[in-house]
Amino acid sequence: MSLEKMLATYEFEQWLYREAELLDHIDFDGWFSLMHSSLSYQMPVRVNKEGTERPDYAADMFSFNDDIELLSLRVERLKTDYAWAEIPPSRTRRYVSNVKLSDYVPNEKASVNSYLLIYRSRSTDIHHDLISGERRDEFIYEDGVWKLSKRVFIVDQTTLNTRNLAIFV
């Protein structure tokens, strides 16, 4: 691995850690500022298939399939009294690992894969959620910063054991 690619990998690790911190601290405006105007934000439905057939997720069914406008509405809604699923807000901790830079053109574009584990607890509930999966991210370099232009979150579970998906991945 070249020094340039090592430094770029580190840069994207730090980007993903910062993103996790913003979300865990409920700074949705700060998080949203990291998004590119062409954003595609998806979570395909995981499916069970026989044997080793892959991919084992749907190409045309999604738990969410947002663009920048829809994501903006979701962020704005969370700041109102009408986001009942998040009143009071979830307490989350995002663990990012296995960051791998797969495509990189300096100051232009990049593709980054990572694993994500989210711990989530709610109010006084003694139960918690664990959501894990792989993120396939694409970035565009704009105005001197990297912006997320595409995220596909491949969740590990076929059935999510969570009451709602009102959090961001």
Side-chain angles (χ1 to χ4, degrees):
M1 179 184 293
S2 71
L3 182 59
E4 179 182 54
K5 197 165 180 181
M6 286 175 57
L7 291 172
T9 299
Y10 176 77
E11 182 178 10
F12 285 104
E13 285 176 341
Q14 295 305 306
W15 193 102
L16 293 168
Y17 297 157
R18 179 171 176 251
E19 176 195 27
E21 181 180 46
L22 290 168
L23 288 170
D24 289 345
H25 290 129
I26 314 172
D27 183 355
F28 299 127
D29 290 329
W31 174 75
F32 190 75
S33 73
L34 301 174
M35 305 299 126
H36 190 267
S37 60
S38 67
L39 181 70
S40 170
Y41 189 79
Q42 302 174 324
M43 185 174 128
V45 172
R46 196 74 186 225
V47 294
N48 289 320
K49 292 191 174 183
E50 295 294 324
T52 59
E53 184 182 351
R54 293 292 182 263
D56 59 346
Y57 54 88
D60 57 354
M61 284 190 312
F62 302 91
S63 295
F64 52 80
N65 185 11
D66 299 349
D67 60 12
I68 194 71
E69 288 84 18
L70 190 52
L71 199 63
S72 174
L73 290 172
R74 287 179 61 192
V75 167
E76 290 305 312
R77 185 172 182 271
L78 285 172
K79 296 189 275 184
T80 71
D81 292 334
Y82 298 105
W84 301 305
E86 282 298 302
I87 297 176
S90 294
R91 289 180 297 276
T92 59
R93 188 73 58 216
R94 288 167 176 78
Y95 299 91
V96 178
S97 67
N98 297 57
V99 177
K100 182 181 176 198
L101 185 65
S102 58
D103 183 30
Y104 177 65
V105 178
N107 299 329
E108 190 177 322
K109 66 178 183 171
S111 296
V112 179
N113 292 350
S114 63
Y115 292 170
L116 178 67
L117 176 65
I118 303 173
Y119 171 88
R120 176 189 189 196
S121 63
R122 302 268 308 133
S123 190
T124 59
D125 193 346
I126 62 169
H127 302 286
H128 63 272
D129 299 334
L130 286 177
I131 302 169
S132 68
E134 177 184 355
R135 295 188 297 193
R136 299 173 183 172
D137 294 338
E138 294 178 12
F139 293 86
I140 294 175
Y141 195 75
E142 183 176 80
D143 298 327
V145 295
W146 289 103
K147 299 275 189 170
L148 183 67
S149 61
K150 183 175 184 179
R151 169 162 291 160
V152 177
F153 181 64
I154 310 295
V155 68
D156 291 328
Q157 301 96 321
T158 53
T159 303
L160 291 177
N161 189 23
T162 183
R163 291 188 183 103
N164 63 58
L165 247 164
I167 60 173
F168 299 109
V169 298

